Amino acid sequence: MNLTLRVWRQPGPDAAGQFETHSTKVSDDASFLEMLDLVNEELIEANKEPITFDHDCREGICGTCGVVINGQAHGPQKSTATCQLHMRQFNDGDTITIEPWRAGGFPIIRDLMVNRAAFDRIVEAGGYVNVNTGAPPDANEIPIPKDAADSAMDAAACIGCGACVAACPNSAANLFTAAKMQHLNQLPQGQAERWSRSINMVNTMEEYFGSCTNHGECQEACPKEISVDFIAMMNRDYMKANLVNRRRLGERKIG
Ligand code: FES
């Protein structure tokens, strides 16, 4: 298939960017990233700078491959990361516009690559269990209700790609933060730090990202189908955490 690509090129974080047009011919069996590889080979042969884009696993696991394709985070196929998208989703003769995630919390490094370190700051604020887990425990040592285990697993499916932020009109990171928080807050192992985790992660999120106004675009763009239900759960835990912590600090009497 013959394609025209409009690709965002930006030499550095502070440099001005612009769209560059490339024509290419690719098999419809190729993946989207293989198509970009091919374009880069052509650019290198022509002694031009290849397009910088992020990727690692190419299996929908690591979350690094995010780009906006024709205005949609990860492109037109639902529940699919860019690396799992195939060119058969497009038609011969199409013009495809490819842009980086655009959000204040994700500064552009170069071309299509953005810095998502703000996500690391949110996870560092509480997205872990602070206990020495020692050797792997026997299976089922801690009884967990099946519905809680299933829901925690659904939240843990987040690959941290940032599509939720890129798709949100407010550049909010509530879906990511809620997923990283609720996969722990629902399990017995996550209870000891539940309230401090809820406050620290939300406060850190708000340092970098906009506010959620319930557009739901994050859920639509998420390649792992993380539900906005987790945002509601996060909001409840944040509210409860503020009460619990006031009691702990002696600002409010228990009971
Ligand atoms: S490259 Fe790892 S999820 Fe796409």
Side-chain angles (χ1 to χ4, degrees), residues 33 55-65 81 83 159:
L33 297 189
H55 60 94
D56 189 3
C57 70
R58 298 199 175 203
E59 292 182 3
I61 297 167
C62 72
T64 57
C65 61
C83 59
I159 56 174

Side-chain angles (χ1 to χ4, degrees), residues 5 29 32 34-38 41 50 71 77 98 101 105 110 114 121 145 148 150 157 176 192 198 221 229 239:
L5 307 179
D29 288 333
F32 199 85
E34 284 167 349
M35 183 274 292
L36 287 177
D37 291 339
L38 200 76
E41 280 172 24
Q77 192 174 0
I98 311 168
W101 288 167
R110 188 184 175 100
V114 300
R121 303 291 91 77
D150 287 348
F176 166 79
S198 302
D229 290 352
M239 219 155 62

